[in-house]
Amino acid sequence: MSSPEHNPLRDPRDKRLPRIAGPAGLTIFGVTGDLSRKKLMPAIYDLSNRGLLPPGFALTGVARREWENQDFGDVVYEAVKENARTPFHQAVWDRLAEGIRFVSGSFDDPGTFERLSRTIKELDEERGTGGNHAFYLSVPPGAFQTVLTNLSHSGLAEQTEDEWRRVVIEKPFGHDLESAKELNRTVNEVFPEDSVFRIDHYLGKETVQNILALRFANQLFEPLWNAHYVDHVQITMSEDIGLGGRAGYYDGIGAARDVIQNHLLQLLALTAMEEPLSFSPGDLRAEKSKVLSATKPVGPFAQTTARGQYTGGWQGGQQVPGLHEEGGFASDSKTETFAAITLEIENRRWAGVPFYLRTGKRLGRRVTEIAVVFKRAPHLPFDDTMTEELGQNALVIRVQPDEGVTMRFGAKVPGTSMEVRDVTMDFGYGHSFTESSPEAYERLLLDVLLGEPSLFPVNEEVELSWQILDPILDYWAQHGYPEKYKAGSWGPPSAETMLARTGRVWRRP
Amino acid sequence: MIVDLPSTTTSQVNKKMVELRESGGAVALGRVLTLVIVTDDSSETEQAIQAANEASREHPARVIVVAKGARQAAARLDAQIRIGGDAGASEVVVLRVYGELAEEGAASVVPLLLPDAPVVAWWPNDSPEYPAKDPVGELAHRRITDAAAEPDPIDALGARTRSYVDGDTDLAWTRLTSWRALLAAALDQPPFEPIRGATVSGEADSPSTDLLAGWLASSLDIPVHRKVNREGPGIVSAVLERPSGNVEVVRPDGKIGYLTQPGQPDRRVALERRAVRDCLAEELRRLGPDEIYESTLRGLSEVVREDPDEHAEESEPVSAGQQS
């Protein structure tokens, strides 16, 4: 007898067989956006090309454009041609194109949702999507409520035993604890928590998942992974681009809300959490929630945090405008484009180890990394002159670009005298497993269709993150202005002083 | 860059490789495995190297090609080192061995294996009777053969069954993965009914068709019929019989499959025949024993062959283990 648990053609030892999503369709609200053209549509093609989408998969776009199915198909085609990771195959595209639909209309018009409802019913009949549909809300946060309410009123959110409905939402998940709770309430009124998938695309990256493999599959690192040996941890996400046209979205949000609340705190959770009982979604989340509950901001904030706004200047051979010249920004805006904070984790493993988080725009270069910096050896049987070029040992997990891991340690300089200098040992994902590394969105979209929630933060994690960040945001709102920093530098001087007061320095990524 | 080292020894090859690495700057050291390709010195050698180079983008490897030249000639070793643009993401050493050396290919390979990294042996054609007992096969953790490239592919499968040792695999099996994935996914959906019977059809000499039948027979534990279909290349159809209706996959042209399931609309699926480099990349992904392949080979004896006209003598169940 076969059952979903026991399919006679599936054998746990058979590692070749991929998990293909069951019959399903994906509806994207806001298909005209950048994200959907650059990431979502190519990811869908790549999945399809790798044979991981169900036969009969359907993609429906909803937007306020007077488009026919064919017009939307052309848009997807262009997006795929331009941005897909895997080579273009006409046969694969033809199968995918058969399932592309477009529903035209605005999000506040119930008629749009009626038409969507009809389209979805047709798809169930023609394509066999089996009543399983995921709704991807690639819309500004202000439109969440409208879309959700209309989904609920039109009956599109109703699930039955063998027909699922899921919703995918993107950051920002609110702008403080209060609004995050409000948003979670709104979403959970329409979709139960296990049908809500919050996309944090960092968690879909191979390197981020590799943090778990690195820590828990090896004997080498975990014994050192605690306050006895670790001096401090730096988590950096820097961008070299400015705001460009996103000022409208960014004003009032700022770097801390935009990046630290979600990406960096998730990276912190994975770096600092205890070993989960298993890799099941429940166990992973339990550990992440535990470590986030133990995480507290370190004060006084005047000395332990830094924020800034970039000014114009020369960056990478181009003259770039400052924040206030970009337009769309109030000249007295306190919105920060650089944020650095100090956190501590109140548990036995990490007591006394500061975690420094920083992010910013228009910094030296685009990089995301986690640097675990170790204490100096308690005793050095060398003269001072022998080790003056020796720094602290470090383990750096490079999340992007050039994904990999670097170790820094001391080695003897060749020659007759004893002299020790820092050297690095490098593991590059690109050298060891090139090209097969899928895009984060591929992994995450597939997980949505499979109903596999491990890589998506739940509302508890979102609320805990705000709880950590809120005191700092409140302090910033009441005290002073962001400092200016030059485009192409590594942030304002206060970022350096916040580490210098304890004799530490930021790593230059 | 291509460097020729005529009439040389392996230690000179090693020395030259270190030299090239130092003079060429930081050529990546992060190789994950050594791939040994054993061929005759022919035009197909180059195709095999090409496929390995492409697969190496996923698995950076040191590729050692042992091309066996004329046995009558005087014993000699000609080496060629390729790095950079001529070697994909790998470094390729082509060893042309002549005379007595041709029989001792393994001896020239050992000094060039990467320390600690797994060794994979691949015979693009003319695989040995017992891959695991072959001198090169003995060095390898994984041995890749290709039944489809043998003079009699179906016979070759029989030989594979007799010679199977953990770590053996065959590209005819790898070519099947997309079919197996599709059928398994079809059974992930309701109704969850037992499969009563199954029929697979394909070209008479398509080993993948036989393996598909063998896989179904061993995992479903039912007799599976293997029919000859001259229409298309490779596998043409697979049918799983269930009380409420059959699951059918038909691929008449070797490109697009048609999936039929009761209660669901017919669907077209991209089911293109896979290129050698894709199959090789998939093989290199798994370095442990493939238990499913083993039970599939054992399942071949449960397959009922239906060959109405031509191969009348083969219409009995093929009991591969007993074929001489």
Side-chain angles (χ1 to χ4, degrees), chain A residues 4 42 54 62 90 95 125 136 140 165 200 266 275 285 332 338 344 349 397 429 457 472 483 503:
Chain A
V62 185
Q90 192 63 35
R95 297 293 76 72
E125 281 156 23
Y136 196 117
R165 298 291 156 98
D200 185 333
Q266 285 288 332
E275 185 174 74
R285 285 166 169 179
D332 59 347
F338 176 94
E344 64 184 357
R349 186 194 279 260
I397 300 169
Y429 253 74
I472 298 176
E483 233 178 315

Side-chain angles (χ1 to χ4, degrees), chain B residues 165-251:
Chain B
V165 173
D166 277 354
D168 283 5
T169 183
D170 196 286
L171 292 184
W173 168 242
T174 326
R175 291 190 186 97
L176 263 188
T177 307
S178 43
W179 279 81
R180 299 197 300 126
L182 192 60
L183 290 170
L187 294 197
D188 279 339
Q189 304 303 322
F192 303 111
E193 294 173 336
I195 309 293
R196 302 265 185 235
T199 309
V200 176
S201 78
E203 276 183 304
D205 61 353
S206 151
S208 298
T209 311
D210 278 51
L211 286 173
L212 181 60
W215 175 62
L216 290 172
S218 78
S219 47
L220 298 174
D221 215 6
I222 51 167
V224 177
H225 297 265
R226 182 343 182 165
K227 287 189 176 152
V228 172
N229 190 324
R230 283 178 208 84
E231 271 174 43
I235 310 172
V236 176
S237 73
V239 180
L240 304 178
E241 293 160 29
R242 294 192 297 196
S244 65
N246 297 349
V247 177
E248 279 185 45
V249 183
V250 183
R251 183 187 67 177

Side-chain angles (χ1 to χ4, degrees), chain A residues 1-2 4 7 9-11 14-16 22-23 55-56 95 98 125-128 431-434 436, chain B residues 30 57-58 60 142 169 173 180 184 187-189 192-193 215 219 256 265 267-268 282-283 286 290 292:
Chain A
M1 190 64 209
S2 61
N7 177 344
L9 294 184
R10 287 209 188 273
D11 186 314
D14 195 344
K15 297 187 197 104
R16 289 172 196 263
R95 297 293 76 72
E98 286 168 2
E125 281 156 23
E126 290 166 25
R127 303 278 297 165
H431 305 150
S432 299
F433 320 91
T434 0
S436 72
Chain B
R57 298 199 184 280
E58 188 169 330
R142 202 160 172 100
T169 183
W173 168 242
R180 299 197 300 126
L187 294 197
D188 279 339
Q189 304 303 322
F192 303 111
E193 294 173 336
W215 175 62
S219 47
I256 294 167
R267 300 191 184 102
R268 292 198 276 175
E282 179 181 318
E283 279 311 327
R286 316 252 166 263
D290 190 340
I292 310 296

Side-chain angles (χ1 to χ4, degrees), chain B:
Chain B
M1 191 190 335
I2 296 183
V3 179
D4 278 305
L5 298 169
S7 189
T8 184
T9 63
T10 49
S11 56
Q12 279 173 329
V13 175
N14 255 329
K15 214 166 118 193
K16 190 75 193 171
M17 286 176 76
V18 174
E19 199 183 302
L20 286 174
R21 185 175 304 135
E22 282 175 356
S23 67
V27 177
L29 291 166
R31 307 263 171 245
V32 292
L33 54 88
T34 310
L35 174 67
V36 184
I37 306 177
V38 188
T39 68
D40 281 324
D41 199 359
S42 68
S43 60
E44 280 158 47
T45 310
E46 209 48 49
Q47 287 172 19
I49 297 175
Q50 201 52 41
N53 284 348
E54 283 168 33
S56 76
R57 298 199 184 280
E58 188 169 330
H59 315 274
R62 172 175 289 179
V63 180
I64 303 173
V65 184
V66 184
K68 297 180 180 174
R71 309 288 196 276
Q72 298 86 346
R76 195 177 88 221
L77 170 68
D78 287 352
Q80 187 182 62
I81 303 170
R82 304 180 190 181
I83 54 169
D86 296 299
S90 55
E91 49 196 9
V92 180
V93 187
V94 185
L95 303 174
R96 292 202 164 77
V97 285
Y98 303 96
E100 280 175 60
L101 255 180
E103 303 306 323
E104 296 293 334
S108 340
V109 169
V110 174
L112 296 173
L113 298 178
L114 293 172
D116 248 7
V119 179
V120 180
W122 175 33
W123 293 268
N125 40 43
D126 283 331
S127 47
E129 179 80 16
Y130 284 91
K133 290 186 189 163
D134 180 88
V136 174
E138 271 181 344
L139 298 172
H141 301 80
R142 202 160 172 100
R143 294 163 291 276
I144 305 170
T145 52
D146 188 356
E150 304 281 331
D152 186 339
I154 307 297
D155 235 25
L157 285 184
R160 302 282 182 272
T161 315
R162 286 192 296 280
S163 65
Y164 180 86
V165 173
D166 277 354
D168 283 5
T169 183
D170 196 286
L171 292 184
W173 168 242
T174 326
R175 291 190 186 97
L176 263 188
T177 307
S178 43
W179 279 81
R180 299 197 300 126
L182 192 60
L183 290 170
L187 294 197
D188 279 339
Q189 304 303 322
F192 303 111
E193 294 173 336
I195 309 293
R196 302 265 185 235
T199 309
V200 176
S201 78
E203 276 183 304
D205 61 353
S206 151
S208 298
T209 311
D210 278 51
L211 286 173
L212 181 60
W215 175 62
L216 290 172
S218 78
S219 47
L220 298 174
D221 215 6
I222 51 167
V224 177
H225 297 265
R226 182 343 182 165
K227 287 189 176 152
V228 172
N229 190 324
R230 283 178 208 84
E231 271 174 43
I235 310 172
V236 176
S237 73
V239 180
L240 304 178
E241 293 160 29
R242 294 192 297 196
S244 65
N246 297 349
V247 177
E248 279 185 45
V249 183
V250 183
R251 183 187 67 177
D253 60 354
K255 286 200 179 88
I256 294 167
Y258 297 84
L259 170 68
T260 320
Q261 281 167 282
Q264 292 186 30
D266 292 358
R267 300 191 184 102
R268 292 198 276 175
V269 204
L271 200 61
E272 210 149 346
R273 304 189 79 195
R274 303 174 72 194
V276 170
R277 60 167 177 195
D278 290 343
C279 294
L280 193 63
E282 179 181 318
E283 279 311 327
L284 299 182
R285 229 168 274 156
R286 316 252 166 263
L287 294 167
D290 190 340
E291 293 99 339
I292 310 296
Y293 172 60
E294 182 185 7
S295 52
T296 297
L297 286 175
R298 310 263 173 252
L300 283 176
S301 57
E302 307 300 322
V303 175
V304 185
R305 307 205 92 201
E306 290 177 18
D307 269 330
D309 34 59
E310 306 179 271
H311 298 66
E313 72 282 1
E314 282 179 49
S315 62
E316 292 163 37
V318 177
S319 168
Q322 288 153 22
Q323 269 188 348
S324 53

Side-chain angles (χ1 to χ4, degrees), chain A residues 87-206:
Chain A
F88 187 83
H89 293 296
Q90 192 63 35
V92 174
W93 167 254
D94 287 345
R95 297 293 76 72
L96 189 62
E98 286 168 2
I100 292 183
R101 300 287 183 276
F102 186 75
V103 174
S104 157
S106 72
F107 302 147
D108 50 10
D109 173 16
T112 310
F113 290 80
E114 260 167 51
R115 286 195 292 282
L116 175 62
S117 190
R118 268 203 304 279
T119 307
I120 278 180
K121 235 180 232 113
E122 281 163 23
L123 284 171
D124 286 346
E125 281 156 23
E126 290 166 25
R127 303 278 297 165
T129 40
N132 303 319
H133 294 274
F135 301 102
Y136 196 117
L137 307 194
S138 184
V139 298
F144 273 8
Q145 173 85 51
T146 327
V147 175
L148 286 167
T149 320
N150 276 319
L151 277 175
S152 152
H153 285 175
S154 59
L156 281 166
E158 274 161 40
Q159 324 202 19
T160 64
E161 190 121 316
D162 23 72
E163 296 186 355
W164 53 254
R165 298 291 156 98
R166 297 180 184 136
V167 68
V168 187
I169 55 179
E170 286 171 0
K171 69 168 192 184
F173 309 122
H175 53 88
D176 58 11
L177 180 59
E178 204 43 54
S179 60
K181 281 185 170 162
E182 175 66 33
L183 176 72
N184 284 336
R185 241 193 327 273
T186 314
V187 175
N188 288 145
E189 265 169 28
V190 182
F191 290 95
E193 184 59 20
D194 62 1
S195 303
V196 182
F197 291 75
R198 292 176 184 79
I199 290 245
D200 185 333
H201 68 270
Y202 264 69
L203 299 187
K205 286 186 184 290
E206 288 288 337

